[in-house]
Amino acid sequence: MVLFDINKVILKVVLIAVVIILALSFIKTGQKQHYEQNLNFPDKGKLEERGKQWLKNYQYVDYKITTTFRKEPYDARLIEAEGQYSLIKISDLAKILYGEYSISGDYVTLTVYNTTITLKINDPHLWGYTIVDGVKKRAVYRIPYPALVVDGEVYIPVRSTLRALNMGVLYAGDKIFFGQDVPKNDTSLIFEKFVEEGELK
């Protein structure tokens, strides 16, 4: 009878140990997958499939854009996409910001005040910068909406692009205000990883 009870205790201990090992293994695996998911870009197939779905419903809307560094408002026609996303023609934004832009294949580059950011058509990522211990480092961010080609023109998301340039955006009726003194919405940029200067994926 005593021997039977000892076997029962041993069996319980073994079962508990197995359950703990499986639980720890699951937690570790789950963390690893989550971490890797944050670091990896979507594969090309997923991007192409998603790219077709971005611009389902949209309309052109005229805005008067005022900045903290221009004397006169700038008239611009923006795209308002489903989900309340606003996109501006990159040539217009570069003009408003006194910046320069270039388009090479699927990549769009905007340079303003010695800061260069890059977006990729149909890819919800932005290559920009972040400050770490006072040092400016190249970084990749996930953004809610990608750059798009509409009617032969390249449009880029307003809030994410300006946030990457350390500016905030405020919408008020048919007017838009932006500049470094305007409140910033950090949810438009989600940090993913650091990259080397010029590195694109």
Side-chain angles (χ1 to χ4, degrees), residues 34-42 123-132 136-143 189-201:
H34 178 69
Y35 183 66
E36 288 178 349
Q37 184 181 3
N38 285 341
L39 291 181
N40 292 338
F41 287 85
D123 186 339
H125 286 92
L126 183 148
W127 288 258
Y129 296 90
T130 189
I131 303 296
V132 181
K136 191 176 181 182
K137 291 192 175 183
R138 194 79 164 143
V140 178
Y141 297 90
R142 178 175 289 276
I143 58 178
L189 287 177
I190 300 173
F191 172 82
E192 284 209 342
K193 65 176 181 177
F194 294 112
V195 292
E196 295 300 321
E197 188 70 29
E199 179 185 347
L200 296 175
K201 282 196 175 184

Side-chain angles (χ1 to χ4, degrees), residues 7-63:
N7 287 338
K8 210 171 179 182
V9 170
I10 292 172
L11 183 61
K12 282 184 180 178
V13 170
V14 170
L15 284 173
I16 291 171
V18 169
V19 169
I20 291 172
I21 290 170
L22 287 174
L24 290 174
S25 175
F26 174 78
I27 291 170
K28 186 177 179 183
T29 304
Q31 287 176 342
K32 184 178 179 184
Q33 287 175 347
H34 178 69
Y35 183 66
E36 288 178 349
Q37 184 181 3
N38 285 341
L39 291 181
N40 292 338
F41 287 85
D43 61 51
K44 188 176 180 182
K46 288 181 182 176
L47 282 179
E48 289 176 352
E49 183 181 340
R50 185 69 189 268
K52 297 173 185 176
Q53 300 173 0
W54 285 114
L55 205 59
K56 287 182 179 177
N57 298 313
Y58 69 95
Q59 60 182 349
Y60 288 99
V61 180
D62 292 322
Y63 281 98

Side-chain angles (χ1 to χ4, degrees), residues 163-179:
R163 187 63 194 90
L165 295 168
N166 196 33
M167 297 183 197
V169 185
L170 179 64
Y171 290 82
D174 66 344
K175 297 178 177 61
I176 300 176
F177 302 91
F178 59 76

